[in-house]
Amino acid sequence: MKKQKVYKRKVIVIPLIILFLIFAGIQFIRPVITNPPVTGDLKVPHEVQTILRNSCYDCHSNQTNLSWYDKIVPVSWFVAQHIKEGRSGLNFSEWDKLSPADQKAKLWESVNQVSQGAMPLQSYTLAHPQAKLSQKDIKVLQNYIWSLRVNNKPQDTSKIKALNDQSKELKKVENSVKIPKTPNGIAYISDYKNWAVVSTTQRMDNGTMRIIYGNDIAIKAIKEKKISPWPDGSILAKAAYDEIEDEDGNISQGAFKQVEFMIKDHNKYKKTFGWGFSRFKTTELIPYGKRADFVIECMNCHKPMEKNDYVFTLPIRH
């Protein structure tokens, strides 16, 4: 009987010792997490800066402040990856490297993700509850972004002229023999303008509006409430236009700026969340990105929307 007890104890203790030794050993395989120099920090009101530092800077700046449990392997492996991805998508410590227009756009996108609850990541706030944003914090950020909005001039003649001038140019490119393609091989789809409208959004930071279109498969999925996940073959097109405001404050679609496509194929685009990303800019439909890895930027932006199958804009009911 005594021998059995000793044996049972060994069966429990020995694996625990082995696990402890493995755990202790992997602590020497820690990723290197450095804080490069700050080249140009974000300049915003103190209240806004405090919120961003508290909730965003650990992953989106060169001023990461690690907690003791962030340094423990294997947690530190995930932390290092989060910081790498966070800095590549948005780095407040290298704010001077962005043009004023891109700075506004990044802030707008960030506050949009915060407002939808996509950021900070839930996995991060569970371990760092102090980073969770209150409704008051979100309101402060929203008010600041609103203060940066572009005020449209009623009957802006330059925007009206741009709208009138561009139609022929756009049709010329669309009808050309060579269809533009992004570096990852996705071709421009001129037919998207005939698709049903899924939703619309406004960008107050640059005075533009977005119209999101869906192909037949996407619209069918919306009607049947089968968009979590979206079925293969779904295509969403987000076209950006100038906003033209009349004297009564009514907003209408102005000149074309760019169009982005998301194409669902969970096998073909397995490495990019099951979606193929592409973007074509100006009336010349210039493909975005110099290399196929431009999609990393798209993935970093859409990753927080994992619960919505990586799609930001919720459809208007059809």
Side-chain angles (χ1 to χ4, degrees):
M1 193 73 176
K2 190 175 180 182
K3 286 183 179 180
Q4 285 181 341
K5 286 183 178 180
V6 172
Y7 176 75
K8 285 181 180 179
R9 195 176 298 157
K10 284 183 178 179
V11 168
I12 295 170
V13 172
I14 291 174
L16 288 175
I17 292 173
I18 292 172
L19 286 173
F20 175 78
L21 291 173
I22 292 172
F23 178 76
I26 63 174
Q27 298 310 309
F28 295 97
I29 317 174
R30 290 182 183 175
V32 178
I33 301 173
T34 60
N35 283 331
V38 176
T39 62
D41 205 1
L42 173 68
K43 304 296 182 186
V44 291
H46 177 72
E47 190 176 19
V48 175
Q49 182 73 268
T50 300
I51 294 170
L52 295 177
R53 283 184 177 278
N54 184 56
S55 299
C56 309
Y57 267 50
D58 278 349
C59 289
H60 294 284
S61 80
N62 295 341
Q63 302 170 63
T64 302
N65 183 24
L66 297 175
S67 303
W68 64 268
Y69 46 82
D70 291 326
K71 301 175 184 178
I72 298 174
V73 176
V75 174
S76 60
W77 296 342
F78 296 106
V79 169
Q81 186 61 30
H82 281 314
I83 293 170
K84 181 181 177 182
E85 291 176 358
R87 287 175 178 173
S88 67
L90 171 64
N91 192 335
F92 290 117
S93 296
E94 297 177 357
W95 202 243
D96 58 330
K97 295 182 180 180
L98 298 175
S99 68
D102 286 340
Q103 289 176 355
K104 276 189 179 182
K106 283 292 184 183
L107 280 173
W108 182 270
E109 290 169 5
S110 300
V111 175
N112 186 36
Q113 291 190 5
V114 165
S115 299
Q116 295 190 50
M119 280 286 180
L121 295 174
Q122 189 176 13
S123 57
Y124 179 77
T125 54
L126 283 173
H128 306 82
Q130 73 280 2
K132 194 169 183 179
L133 289 157
S134 67
Q135 287 304 311
K136 182 182 176 183
D137 293 334
I138 294 172
K139 192 66 179 174
V140 169
L141 296 177
Q142 289 174 336
N143 288 342
Y144 176 67
I145 289 298
W146 184 260
S147 72
L148 300 177
R149 71 188 186 281
V150 173
N151 292 315
N152 287 324
K153 303 174 191 173
Q155 303 286 30
D156 190 326
T157 54
S158 64
K159 287 187 176 182
I160 294 171
K161 185 178 185 303
L163 175 60
N164 294 334
D165 290 346
Q166 75 164 205
S167 298
K168 289 181 180 178
E169 296 175 37
L170 192 54
K171 283 182 181 178
K172 194 184 294 182
V173 177
E174 288 180 339
N175 294 330
S176 65
V177 176
K178 189 176 181 181
I179 299 172
K181 288 184 180 181
T182 44
N184 58 342
I186 296 178
Y188 173 75
I189 307 170
S190 61
D191 192 46
Y192 77 87
K193 287 165 286 187
N194 298 322
W195 298 349
V197 173
V198 173
S199 188
T200 60
T201 61
Q202 283 181 287
R203 284 285 295 268
M204 297 300 181
D205 61 314
N206 57 16
T208 59
M209 66 188 299
R210 265 74 170 154
I211 300 178
I212 296 89
Y213 303 87
N215 69 350
D216 290 343
I217 296 174
I219 298 302
K220 184 175 183 288
I222 292 168
K223 288 178 177 178
E224 295 176 355
K225 299 181 179 179
K226 295 179 179 178
I227 60 173
S228 186
W230 292 77
D232 281 1
S234 297
I235 305 178
L236 299 173
K238 182 172 71 174
Y241 304 89
D242 274 333
E243 287 184 347
I244 297 178
E245 184 177 341
D246 64 22
E247 292 176 349
D248 296 322
N250 299 310
I251 301 294
S252 61
Q253 176 186 321
F256 172 82
K257 310 292 283 186
Q258 66 174 33
V259 63
E260 300 174 17
F261 294 102
M262 286 180 68
I263 302 173
K264 187 63 183 285
D265 187 323
H266 76 280
N267 286 320
K268 188 174 182 180
Y269 304 115
K270 189 175 181 180
K271 292 182 179 179
T272 53
F273 311 138
W275 289 97
F277 298 94
S278 64
R279 183 187 303 171
F280 301 88
K281 306 188 76 171
T282 77
T283 53
E284 295 179 16
L285 300 177
I286 300 169
Y288 183 79
K290 294 180 179 179
R291 301 187 305 272
D293 63 3
F294 79 90
V295 294
I296 294 172
E297 181 182 332
C298 305
M299 291 166 63
N300 287 340
C301 183
H302 286 265
K303 190 173 183 179
M305 302 307 295
E306 183 178 0
K307 290 182 179 178
N308 290 340
D309 197 15
Y310 305 99
V311 176
F312 274 99
T313 308
L314 296 175
I316 297 171
R317 286 187 179 181
H318 280 70

